[in-house]
Amino acid sequence: MSVESRRDAATLLRRFNHLFVGRNLTDDDLVELADVIAEWVVRAESRPERVREFPSERIRAWQEGAAPAEPARPSGFPDSVVTGDSNPMGLAARQWNEGETAYAEAVFDRAFEGAPGRGHGGVLAALFDETMGRIPAMYGSLAFTGRLDISYRAPTPMYSPILAKAWCARREGRKFHIHAEIHDGETLVAEATALFIAVDLSRFLPST
């Protein structure tokens, strides 16, 4: 199984998901589609289950205090619902780092519509959470979200890029206090604060 094959299939499935929501398929279309999908459901259920893990080498290097700096283009999880390019149900947001700031760019297509013509606020919250969650990794830690507070300032646009950025306001031991903003061009769409709690890195290593 190649990474490229999974990514290519997921890209087409994401495109179809948005078309399914945004187009009026006929009854005949839907019956034919259901038959095809039912066949693939049976086929997929017969395949081995995949296990999702952090890269063990990087975790062990962090434990030893020898981890390299977080890369400018972090790969993250290819199956992430926010930034994974191999998740057919996700945003496939593009992510990168500049200095100690994490960025992500995303486009809300039809399947992520909330109120008519506006991106769903819950999906925007997921974009915040994913972008802010990368900050502890810049400090050699992995953390879970303890609290996420969002103030929505303007409607989330559809079909055009929005930009999320996050940074660490302060750190208190295991606690990371993180701020973030999402912009549509010069317009502030939303801003957020969050508390992330660092956890024992060994929890992310595969059990032996």
Side-chain angles (χ1 to χ4, degrees):
M1 177 194 67
S2 71
V3 172
E4 292 77 13
S5 294
R6 288 190 65 83
R7 183 184 62 232
D8 292 347
T11 299
L12 287 171
L13 286 168
R14 278 195 304 274
R15 181 179 176 186
F16 179 77
N17 289 341
H18 293 299
L19 289 169
F20 183 90
V21 174
R23 301 298 174 95
N24 285 319
L25 301 180
T26 68
D27 286 345
D28 287 344
D29 290 335
L30 295 170
V31 169
E32 180 180 352
L33 175 63
D35 288 342
V36 171
I37 292 176
E39 177 183 340
W40 273 97
V41 166
V42 172
R43 185 186 301 191
E45 287 176 340
S46 70
R47 300 298 191 250
E49 186 173 350
R50 295 175 65 236
V51 178
R52 184 181 179 199
E53 297 177 345
F54 276 92
S56 299
E57 298 80 6
R58 188 169 181 82
I59 300 299
R60 292 192 174 94
W62 271 338
Q63 287 179 314
E64 297 168 1
E70 180 75 355
R73 299 284 174 178
S75 57
F77 285 120
D79 297 323
S80 166
V81 73
V82 178
T83 58
D85 59 9
S86 297
N87 189 325
M89 300 174 65
L91 270 174
R94 186 173 64 94
Q95 59 182 346
W96 69 95
N97 299 333
E98 292 180 9
E100 296 182 347
T101 303
Y103 291 87
E105 184 181 73
V107 175
F108 281 50
D109 209 328
R110 191 61 181 273
F112 301 121
E113 190 174 29
R118 299 183 177 186
H120 196 290
V123 181
L124 197 76
L127 180 60
F128 266 130
D129 187 61
E130 184 86 359
T131 308
M132 299 169 92
R134 292 212 321 277
I135 295 299
M138 295 180 180
Y139 297 84
S141 297
L142 293 174
F144 290 126
T145 313
R147 185 183 66 250
L148 175 60
D149 297 315
I150 301 173
S151 296
Y152 295 91
R153 304 300 188 189
T156 303
M158 301 284 295
Y159 313 121
S160 61
I162 57 174
L163 180 66
K165 65 177 182 178
W167 62 95
C168 184
R170 70 181 190 278
R171 182 179 179 184
E172 301 170 338
R174 294 172 54 214
K175 297 179 180 180
F176 288 86
H177 298 270
I178 301 171
H179 289 190
E181 297 175 350
I182 293 178
H183 288 261
D184 170 24
E186 297 299 319
T187 301
L188 177 63
V189 174
E191 53 190 338
T193 60
L195 171 65
F196 278 73
I197 308 296
V199 298
D200 185 349
L201 291 171
S202 64
R203 294 178 58 181
F204 296 92
L205 290 170
S207 57
T208 56

